[in-house]
Amino acid sequence: MREIRWPFRKEEIRTMLGQIERLKSLISLAFQTSLMEFVEKAHDELVAVGLNVARISSAVSTIEADQRAQMEKTELLHVDLQALGWTLRDATNSITKIEHVVATIDRNQQDQALQAVLKWLSPLDFSGKHSAAFEKHAPGTGEWFLKHPKFLAWQQGEYKVLWCPGG
């Protein structure tokens, strides 16, 4: 019967373990550095979004003030129309049409502001991609992932990071 021997000496194992530990530390440091850069970039982008939200809020306030002024003008027009002898019904119809036009203009301006924000956030059109992907969805797709023990543990807070390297 042949004797089986361990091919490494104790000192070689210590050296290898030390090298592995140093590599582990370097990899950990690299991940931490990368994560910090990501967090800083995300913070900068959130600050920029906040500034744009403030600008949009200011623009909406201006639009609201303009609408109030338009409504005041509409009310003055109503009084003038009565003075000219128009019937109340004709004046009401005119005001309703004007209010409808003002509401349409307001909706268009709000839609334009929203589209500008969405385009600023991402120039890509995700709605078409989302619809196409949603149409291809089959019942049960991805359930294995959502039921996986590591995902559930991450979801419950046992892990801070869920690493999904892909296939």
Side-chain angles (χ1 to χ4, degrees), residues 25-147:
S25 296
L26 286 174
I27 290 171
S28 176
L29 182 61
F31 278 129
Q32 290 173 357
T33 302
S34 182
L35 180 61
M36 283 304 297
E37 289 172 357
F38 173 78
V39 167
E40 288 173 1
K41 185 175 180 181
H43 176 265
D44 292 344
E45 289 180 10
L46 285 174
V47 168
V49 168
L51 292 174
N52 283 331
V53 167
R55 285 188 214 131
I56 290 169
S57 178
S58 175
V60 168
S61 296
T62 302
I63 291 168
E64 288 173 343
D66 289 347
Q67 285 179 333
R68 285 191 293 277
Q70 288 293 338
M71 290 304 293
E72 290 172 5
K73 289 178 184 177
T74 302
E75 291 171 7
L76 291 174
L77 180 62
H78 175 69
V79 171
D80 289 345
L81 290 176
Q82 283 182 338
L84 292 173
W86 284 33
T87 66
L88 182 57
R89 185 180 55 183
D90 291 338
T92 303
N93 288 340
S94 295
I95 289 172
T96 302
K97 289 177 185 176
I98 291 170
E99 287 174 342
H100 177 71
V101 168
V102 169
T104 301
I105 290 170
D106 181 46
R107 278 192 305 275
N108 287 342
Q109 288 175 339
Q110 289 177 353
D111 287 346
Q112 288 174 354
L114 177 62
Q115 290 303 318
V117 169
L118 291 174
K119 190 173 185 177
W120 176 82
L121 287 174
S122 175
L124 301 176
D125 179 20
F126 289 104
S127 62
K129 291 180 182 182
H130 175 74
S131 296
F134 188 75
E135 289 174 9
K136 294 178 183 177
H137 177 265
T141 300
E143 283 187 30
W144 65 269
F145 180 77
L146 298 175
K147 292 179 180 177

